[in-house]
Amino acid sequence: MRIDVVTLFPAIFDSYLTQSLLHKAIVRGLVAIERHDLRAWAEDSPHHKVDDKPFGGGPGMLIQVEPTVACVREVETMHPTPARRILLTPQGKRFDQRLAEDLAGSDRLLLLCGRYEGFDQRVQDILEPEEISVGDFVLNGGEVAAMTIIDAVVRLLPGVLGDENSSRDDSFSRGNRLLEFPQYTRPREFEGHSVPEVLLSGDHAAIAAWRAEQTQLRTQARRQDLLGEEPNG
Ligand SMILES: Nc1cc(-c2ccc3cc[nH]c3c2)n[nH]1
């Protein structure tokens, strides 16, 4: 998979792309992630200006349509595969595991990260991106939302996770609509808090039953909305 990220702040991604699972996936060639600084497409304007005041008045600034359209069109010509264009916005379709699985099936994603008050509407009208929201809250820009989507999608790509099954067993993965049971590791006791005896019993049937019960109790307590849903997939 190839992911292109259009942003005014490419440096935000520096640490994220050089750490842990994502870095390993890049090094192993399982995913390629390229950042594109939108300011580079405003060369001819003074100080590489990419934003301006909204017509009709109102607070803040908007990212202008010309550098954005020019950037997306040039980035897309850099690579033959057509890109699935995603614009991060609080007004978009809610991102969830099902959408992550859908996006993980794409050969190429292009993520458009806004700032300020967002993009000139003609960016949507001309480029017709899918608009995706990572939640009903407002961030200061699309970059954190883009990293969220990259994180959830890349881990689903074949070969990225050590054990192919581990993503399949995740909460919200295909078929799972309930929360995960509590997990424990060494030490067996810490500050008076002990590991549940059943997990030390070696009785796999009892352990499975306990975990199923804990999943139901935890989902009931925290996410009753999931209990009535059909399993995913
Ligand atoms: N789900 C979600 C997306 C955003 C978002 C996306 C882009 C911009 C640009 C300026 N502020 C932004 C906020 N907030 N919350």
Side-chain angles (χ1 to χ4, degrees):
M1 173 182 279
R2 177 185 172 93
I3 302 175
D4 289 283
V5 182
V6 173
T7 171
L8 288 172
F9 298 99
I12 285 181
F13 295 84
D14 285 354
S15 298
Y16 177 60
L17 297 178
T18 57
Q19 304 296 316
S20 185
L21 198 76
L22 196 66
H23 179 64
K24 289 193 183 80
I26 292 169
V27 167
R28 292 166 60 203
L30 300 175
V31 64
I33 301 179
E34 296 298 330
R35 291 162 281 173
H36 307 276
D37 186 344
L38 195 47
R39 281 189 207 289
W41 276 268
E43 288 289 345
D44 53 351
S45 72
H47 311 297
H48 297 182
K49 184 172 171 48
V50 291
D51 60 320
D52 209 335
K53 292 180 288 191
F55 282 119
M61 305 289 272
L62 293 172
I63 299 178
Q64 291 174 286
V65 60
E66 302 104 310
T68 307
V69 168
C71 171
V72 168
R73 285 174 175 161
E74 183 172 334
V75 166
E76 290 188 340
T77 58
M78 289 174 185
H79 203 268
T81 314
R84 191 164 169 180
R85 298 168 179 170
I86 311 284
L87 186 143
L88 291 315
T89 171
Q91 287 80 35
K93 177 182 179 187
R94 174 62 74 83
F95 183 65
D96 61 10
Q97 193 64 22
R98 186 177 299 189
L99 185 46
E101 289 162 355
D102 177 27
L103 293 176
S106 313
D107 291 327
R108 185 177 180 192
L109 301 177
L110 186 143
L111 304 181
L112 266 173
C113 302
R115 277 278 157 172
Y116 315 129
E117 296 303 311
F119 290 98
D120 179 309
Q121 176 58 39
R122 288 165 293 183
V123 168
Q124 283 101 310
D125 299 344
I126 294 167
L127 298 176
E128 295 181 315
E130 299 170 59
E131 298 189 27
I132 294 181
S133 166
V134 293
D136 291 340
F137 46 83
V138 182
L139 299 166
N140 293 310
E143 288 79 8
V144 168
M147 278 187 263
T148 300
I149 288 176
I150 291 169
D151 209 83
V153 168
V154 169
R155 68 190 301 277
L156 296 176
L157 298 178
V160 170
L161 290 182
D163 168 4
E164 286 297 305
N165 294 318
S166 56
S167 70
R168 205 169 298 143
D169 297 341
D170 286 351
S171 297
F172 308 110
S173 283
R174 204 170 287 283
N176 305 331
R177 294 303 299 168
L178 303 177
L179 303 187
E180 288 188 357
F181 45 79
Q183 299 245 43
Y184 300 82
T185 187
R186 281 189 286 262
R188 291 188 175 204
E189 190 273 332
F190 180 71
E191 293 184 353
H193 296 264
S194 299
V195 174
E197 281 302 321
V198 65
L199 298 179
L200 310 174
S201 68
D203 180 340
H204 297 296
I207 291 169
W210 180 85
R211 285 175 167 174
E213 182 190 30
Q214 291 299 314
T215 288
Q216 286 292 340
L217 290 173
R218 182 171 272 196
T219 308
Q220 177 75 30
R222 299 179 190 177
R223 290 293 306 273
Q224 289 196 10
D225 60 297
L226 297 177
L227 287 173
E229 287 195 11
E230 287 303 306
N232 210 346

